[in-house]
Amino acid sequence: MINGIISFFNIYQEMNKDVILIVGSNGQLGTVLTQKLRLIYGVYNVIASDLYEKTGFEDNFITLDATDFKAIEEIVLKKKVTQIYHLAAILSAKGEQNPLGTWDLNMKTLFNVLEVSRLHNVNKVFFPSSVAVFGNNIDKENTLQSSNLTPSTVYGISKAAGENWGNYYFEKYGLDVRSLRYPGVVGYQSLPGGGTTDYAVDIYHKAVNNEVFDCFLEASTTLPMIYMDDAIRATIELMEADKEKITVRTSYNLSGMSFNPEQIASSIKEHYPNLKIAYKPDFRQAIADSWPKCINDTAARNDWNWKPQFDLEQMTKVMIENLK
Ligand code: SER
């Protein structure tokens, strides 16, 4: 029986030539993306990797420090990897505690992924960018794809540079690097860590546990956000789109919804009327103030038919159903 299953997997892998390596599979996006990709490609063909093994996620997992070029190279050669999703990074708020260390980590890991891919025939690379690439000198109500990039955080600087490196590897070496500028991602399956948009996940946890929510942003701070299912679907749709359709080789603007803490709190109060929220803005307020409120994602809609499905009310309903 076991031999039968193994040979079935071997045949399946032969038929389905794509072998995917996820770098940073324990993170907020990685946790969910790994599961979704495995539904499409099979567990055997989607290798999860991160610094530490997480309980419950041991299947086809490899411990990997992405700052170690040789370690990535070894996996890519041994497993005949054809696609890499490079999700490891230090986010906006945490990155400000150690600017140079954040730059080193975010760039070193990206260079390793790009170089290993170029040298060993990886077909496609996914690099997540962020609305953090934008800074104060933009139209915040309708932030265009082509807006100037003057990021206010080291994280944003590393993402803006990373987008350009992706474009460079595409232009110079033909490496098929694809990228999205994610808004703040909200999901129930995993917690974000060290970001400025994290409050929008935390508030749901506090609501279902009947705890007071201390919000580190002011009530009126509107930011672009996206529900996890939309974020994952956008990622897979972009990666599966025909190559000729991809006209943006830096990174696509991506829009889901926009709201501020007061609006998310009122949508939650429809289910938990007693939710208490205390506004205690800290250093993250200045980061949020420098970011767009609403993203124009026409290029993504035109090139690969992007369309978000979740608005704030729908997201709140699903978040609460799953967390309570
Ligand atoms: N959600 C991220 C952060 O807040 C931005 O990409 O840092």
Side-chain angles (χ1 to χ4, degrees):
M1 177 68 179
I2 297 283
N3 283 343
I5 292 171
I6 291 171
S7 62
F8 169 76
F9 275 134
N10 287 342
I11 293 164
Y12 183 79
Q13 190 184 19
E14 252 329 285
M15 277 160 34
N16 180 350
K17 297 279 184 206
D18 275 317
V19 177
I20 296 174
L21 172 65
I22 316 242
V23 177
S25 63
N26 289 353
Q28 190 200 10
L29 269 172
T31 304
V32 188
L33 190 58
T34 304
Q35 289 168 349
K36 288 283 160 153
L37 285 171
R38 284 178 172 174
L39 290 177
I40 302 170
Y41 293 89
V43 175
Y44 193 82
N45 294 301
V46 180
I47 305 154
S49 74
D50 210 309
L51 282 172
Y52 307 100
E53 194 168 279
K54 202 161 79 167
T55 316
F57 293 85
E58 294 88 356
D59 279 355
N60 203 7
F61 177 91
I62 296 176
T63 307
L64 175 69
D65 174 357
T67 62
D68 181 347
F69 177 88
K70 287 266 166 237
I72 304 180
E73 187 177 47
E74 201 182 304
I75 296 175
V76 166
L77 289 174
K78 194 165 150 205
K79 303 280 185 178
K80 301 191 171 59
V81 169
T82 61
Q83 294 188 16
I84 303 182
Y85 287 68
H86 172 46
L87 307 178
I90 299 177
L91 298 188
S92 61
K94 186 162 177 225
E96 295 307 285
Q97 317 301 323
N98 179 6
L100 298 186
T102 299
W103 172 260
D104 279 349
L105 185 126
N106 288 3
M107 298 315 292
K108 176 86 185 136
T109 55
L110 174 62
F111 289 141
N112 285 347
V113 167
L114 290 174
E115 267 302 274
V116 168
S117 300
R118 175 181 78 81
L119 292 169
H120 300 299
N121 304 317
V122 172
N123 301 328
K124 271 188 211 171
V125 173
F126 179 75
F127 170 68
S129 186
S130 161
V131 296
V133 295
F134 298 111
N136 274 313
N137 60 342
I138 45 156
D139 177 355
K140 294 203 163 121
E141 300 293 341
N142 181 33
T143 305
L144 298 177
Q145 178 69 46
S146 57
S147 305
N148 274 333
L149 305 185
T150 49
S152 62
T153 59
V154 176
Y155 169 73
I157 298 173
S158 73
K159 289 298 179 188
E163 291 183 2
N164 282 300
W165 276 104
N167 185 52
Y168 178 88
Y169 268 73
F170 173 72
E171 294 289 342
K172 184 138 181 157
Y173 305 118
L175 181 62
D176 191 352
V177 186
R178 305 183 182 194
S179 177
L180 295 171
R181 289 173 178 157
Y182 290 108
V185 178
V186 181
Y188 61 85
Q189 300 95 330
S190 52
L191 289 169
T196 304
T197 57
D198 297 9
Y199 92 87
V201 178
D202 198 21
I203 190 170
Y204 288 106
H205 288 264
K206 293 291 186 304
V208 300
N209 292 317
N210 294 311
E211 289 172 33
V212 176
F213 177 57
D214 287 335
C215 186
F216 58 73
L217 298 180
E218 283 163 6
S220 62
T221 312
T222 300
L223 287 171
M225 300 278 185
I226 191 166
Y227 180 57
M228 180 65 84
D229 284 18
D230 274 342
I232 297 293
R233 189 169 50 80
T235 310
I236 294 173
E237 283 177 8
L238 171 70
M239 288 299 274
E240 293 191 343
D242 291 343
K243 203 170 170 181
E244 341 32 283
K245 295 203 167 142
I246 311 294
T247 64
V248 176
R249 284 293 175 174
T250 48
S251 187
Y252 278 97
N253 276 13
L254 185 75
S255 170
M257 62 186 91
S258 286
F259 58 78
N260 64 34
E262 195 168 17
Q263 289 164 328
I264 191 175
S266 10
S267 86
I268 296 172
K269 280 182 188 165
E270 296 286 322
H271 308 260
Y272 290 89
N274 296 329
L275 173 67
K276 297 266 175 307
I277 175 160
Y279 292 100
K280 298 178 180 169
D282 64 16
F283 72 99
R284 288 168 278 196
Q285 184 64 47
I287 298 176
D289 286 342
S290 76
W291 287 358
K293 295 182 196 302
C294 194
I295 295 288
N296 181 312
D297 61 358
T298 307
R301 288 173 189 253
N302 289 345
D303 287 2
W304 42 277
N305 297 322
W306 166 243
K307 197 170 188 297
Q309 288 173 351
F310 285 81
D311 63 16
L312 178 57
E313 275 61 46
Q314 288 162 308
M315 178 171 84
T316 293
K317 195 162 166 277
V318 189
M319 287 294 289
I320 290 174
E321 269 165 15
N322 284 282
L323 286 177
K324 77 181 173 198

